[in-house]
Amino acid sequence: MCVGFKVEEPPLRSNQWGQLQLENSVNSKQNGVQQITRNKEERKAKAKDAARIRRTQESDYFEDLERFLPVATQNRSSHYTTLDKTSIIRLSVAHLKCQDVLKN
């Protein structure tokens, strides 16, 4: 795609040129559609990768937060289960409130 550069096409003089111009126009549109489709697929792939990275980072932060919680946990064996995200947030807020009450 050229921006700011316009090419003058010769005027139509015969039916043969008109047919050729029509075929070029159709090919140009098909290439444009293929380019748009390829761009959409690339954007989707990038968004999918970004979402995966974001979810991984979020999970890492929740695991860190869970480790810092002063919760009496069972022996960390192979049967160790993690808390869900809502429970981690709820317990973290409760712990911070308790610390604030004890500090004042």
Side-chain angles (χ1 to χ4, degrees):
M1 180 172 98
C2 295
V3 177
F5 185 76
K6 185 176 179 182
V7 176
E8 296 279 332
E9 294 182 8
L12 297 176
R13 295 188 183 198
S14 70
N15 193 17
Q16 182 182 9
W17 172 253
Q19 184 65 27
L20 181 63
Q21 184 180 6
L22 180 62
E23 289 172 3
N24 287 340
S25 175
V26 169
N27 288 339
S28 175
K29 287 180 183 178
Q30 288 174 350
N31 290 340
V33 170
Q34 289 173 352
Q35 182 67 27
I36 290 171
T37 303
R38 186 170 41 243
N39 287 342
K40 284 182 181 179
E41 291 171 359
E42 289 172 1
R43 280 197 312 264
K44 284 182 183 179
K46 286 181 182 179
K48 195 174 185 179
D49 290 340
R52 184 181 303 117
I53 291 168
R54 188 173 49 251
R55 286 191 303 269
T56 301
Q57 289 175 343
E58 182 181 287
S59 294
D60 291 344
Y61 284 125
F62 274 108
E63 287 174 7
D64 290 345
L65 189 57
E66 183 180 11
R67 270 197 308 269
F68 293 132
L69 284 175
V71 179
T73 58
Q74 296 175 353
N75 189 5
R76 293 190 179 214
S77 64
S78 62
H79 299 291
Y80 176 69
T81 59
T82 59
L83 297 170
D84 63 337
K85 293 177 182 179
T86 306
S87 297
I88 292 172
I89 296 292
R90 182 178 48 80
L91 291 171
S92 298
V93 169
H95 177 68
L96 291 171
K97 284 182 180 179
C98 287
Q99 281 186 338
D100 188 43
V101 168
L102 292 175
K103 193 183 290 185
N104 292 332

